[in-house]
Amino acid sequence: MKMNDDFVVLAQFLESLGPEVSGHASSTLTEEQSLLLNKFAEGSLTDEERDALLPEILGNEKALHELVRNLQSQA
């Protein structure tokens, strides 16, 4: 499935960021954010939901790590 391949590549890229992302905010994720990250990993967000979530993910180290874990569990 093409979408899963894309997510695997994204997960590998995010993992490669390693220590460089440590300067990002690391605020605790809300239950809603965790749910949205899981839906993102599953590929079940709308374009609008995904566009709204991406800036939050990129600005939060915990969100990045949560996304990587979710993507790995989908692979």
Side-chain angles (χ1 to χ4, degrees):
M1 179 180 247
K2 173 82 171 102
M3 184 175 282
N4 282 341
D5 292 340
D6 293 341
F7 285 136
V8 169
V9 170
L10 178 61
Q12 290 170 344
F13 169 74
L14 292 173
E15 281 184 324
S16 73
L17 293 176
E20 288 96 29
V21 299
S22 63
H24 290 291
S26 59
S27 59
T28 304
L29 299 176
T30 66
E31 187 175 327
E32 180 182 0
Q33 288 171 320
S34 293
L35 178 62
L36 288 172
L37 286 171
N38 190 49
K39 289 175 124 182
F40 180 86
E42 292 173 346
S44 60
L45 288 181
T46 66
D47 290 342
E48 294 80 19
E49 288 171 323
R50 189 176 57 248
D51 290 345
L53 182 62
L54 286 175
E56 291 181 41
I57 293 171
L58 296 175
N60 187 325
E61 180 181 1
K62 288 183 182 179
L64 284 171
H65 289 288
E66 178 76 17
L67 177 59
V68 168
R69 278 193 299 273
N70 287 337
L71 290 171
Q72 288 173 331
S73 71
Q74 299 293 322

